[in-house]
Amino acid sequence: MAAAAFLFARAAPALSRRLVVSCAAGQDAGAGGAEFQGKVGFLGLGIMGAPMASNLVKAGCDVTVWNRTKSKCDPLLSLGAKYEPSPAEVASSCDVTFAMLADPESAAEVACGDNGAAEGLAPGKGYVDVSTVDGATSKLIGERITSTGASFLEAPVSGSKKPAEDGLLIFLTAGDESLYKRVAPLLDVMGKSRFYLGDVGNGAAMKLVVNMVMGSMMVSFSEGLLLSEKVGLDPNTLVEVISQGAISAPMFSLKGPSMVKVAYPTAFPLKHQQKDLRLALALAESVSQSIPTVAAANELYKAAKSLGLSDQDFSAVIEALKAKAQSSQQ
């Protein structure tokens, strides 16, 4: 069957969604609403996880949270969330558990390690990993989760801090389709659209391809800003020209003005962008696909990390280009 046959999409209007979610068993979502019955767990309250979990709490869901640094749970607790001291205890106390971790190692540890979520899972429960990981890690996690009798869905997101805050993420899901349908109302609280892509690994692959393109675009955009300034043009005007042409992209309009001001407020950390490029390169190698532009971009993000910019926004990669230019002039 063609790959396209596995693709199902549901897009909701970004600002005019009329979604009613009921998360308490037995409650009625109302006419035209969507209903999720049960308790929701959320593991990982970083730059993305915190606003995602917050939106679930604000939608009226019964949410239990965990984070390595417990103090990061405090804002959620003040909104009405509950707390458990380990991923296993969250998973045990909830019907469906979401996980948003920083990297494949963390995602695997939280799911499969000592006191990991798998230890608290059982038949009838679900585990949804919204972290960005490689396909092999996602399959490893999925095998451990399903060995408990629970259901598994990978659901990495496209979008950064602001879309997470606004509930406008894009979910790229794969795995247990019944779990996908079960948690659809929750995904709709946190996102503006969702795609079901078939078998576990497809969601991870799609996310890596998307972030591969994004990282490469940012490098090219950075080169354009620097070149325009070097030849006496106003880089702000370049941003405006690009925003009105065929290559217009929200990323350029959003990031450009602050980049010109040498400001990189973190929406998507540079270290995570480099991690995704590394994983995309490994994915390409596994199928013998050449991606030389991505390989070159990856080196620049690595150089930016060496400059101490890991926790800055990924747009700070422009500083690696500046450093490279200065070095060539010496």
Side-chain angles (χ1 to χ4, degrees):
M1 185 180 294
F6 289 106
L7 177 61
F8 300 92
R10 191 280 316 158
L15 297 178
S16 60
R17 288 172 296 159
R18 295 182 179 179
L19 178 67
V20 180
V21 175
S22 170
C23 291
Q27 290 183 357
D28 184 4
E35 183 178 8
F36 173 84
Q37 293 190 352
K39 298 180 179 180
V40 182
F42 209 104
L43 310 174
L45 300 175
I47 196 169
M48 296 292 289
M52 293 170 70
S54 176
N55 284 335
L56 291 174
V57 175
K58 291 175 182 177
C61 298
D62 185 344
V63 179
T64 300
V65 298
W66 171 87
N67 193 76
R68 282 195 181 93
T69 305
K70 185 182 177 182
S71 61
K72 289 190 176 182
C73 297
D74 292 343
L76 273 297
L77 300 183
S78 69
L79 291 175
K82 301 169 185 174
Y83 171 80
E84 290 289 352
S86 73
E89 289 167 282
V90 171
S92 177
S93 66
C94 295
D95 298 284
V96 171
T97 299
F98 287 82
M100 172 58 92
L101 290 312
D103 51 49
E105 296 76 19
S106 298
E109 179 184 356
V110 167
C112 310
D114 291 340
N115 290 315
E119 294 184 9
L121 293 172
K125 293 181 180 291
Y127 190 80
V128 184
D129 194 343
V130 295
S131 314
T132 298
V133 302
D134 56 287
T137 299
S138 191
K139 291 174 183 177
L140 174 70
I141 294 172
E143 289 171 1
R144 178 68 181 96
I145 297 304
T146 55
S147 73
T148 70
S151 302
F152 176 71
L153 187 74
E154 64 173 0
V157 300
S158 180
S160 56
K161 181 181 179 182
K162 189 64 164 60
E165 292 172 343
D166 295 341
L168 298 176
L169 296 169
I170 301 168
F171 287 90
L172 308 171
T173 75
D176 190 298
E177 189 173 359
S178 64
L179 179 57
Y180 166 71
K181 293 176 179 178
R182 181 183 177 190
V183 301
L186 304 178
L187 301 182
D188 292 345
V189 168
M190 299 182 284
K192 67 178 180 179
S193 60
R194 46 182 162 85
F195 295 82
Y196 181 75
L197 304 168
D199 294 336
V200 171
N202 290 345
M206 181 69 81
K207 176 60 190 295
L208 292 179
V209 171
V210 170
N211 277 19
M212 174 192 85
V213 173
M214 181 176 72
S216 300
M217 286 173 61
M218 179 54 73
V219 168
S220 181
F221 182 56
S222 298
E223 291 176 336
L225 289 175
L226 294 177
L227 180 58
S228 67
E229 188 171 20
K230 196 77 170 181
V231 299
L233 299 174
D234 183 350
N236 285 301
T237 303
L238 173 66
V239 174
E240 186 175 355
V241 171
I242 288 176
S243 71
Q244 296 185 32
I247 61 171
S248 174
M251 180 177 75
F252 297 149
S253 298
L254 179 66
K255 305 289 186 182
S258 61
M259 292 170 71
V260 173
K261 296 176 182 177
V262 196
Y264 313 106
T266 305
F268 181 46
L270 186 143
K271 62 184 178 185
H272 292 169
Q273 176 64 81
Q274 193 275 317
K275 177 261 296 181
D276 291 348
L277 292 179
R278 171 175 58 81
L279 295 177
L281 286 165
L283 177 63
E285 177 68 21
S286 72
V287 294
S288 301
Q289 172 64 52
S290 176
I291 48 173
T293 301
V294 177
N298 184 51
E299 293 304 313
L300 282 169
Y301 284 99
K302 287 164 62 178
K305 286 174 62 178
S306 71
L307 295 174
L309 300 170
S310 291
D311 293 321
Q312 295 290 304
D313 189 74
F314 78 112
S315 56
V317 71
I318 193 173
E319 293 299 324
L321 287 166
K322 293 177 182 178
K324 188 172 182 180
Q326 292 173 355
S327 175
S328 65
Q329 293 173 358
Q330 293 177 354

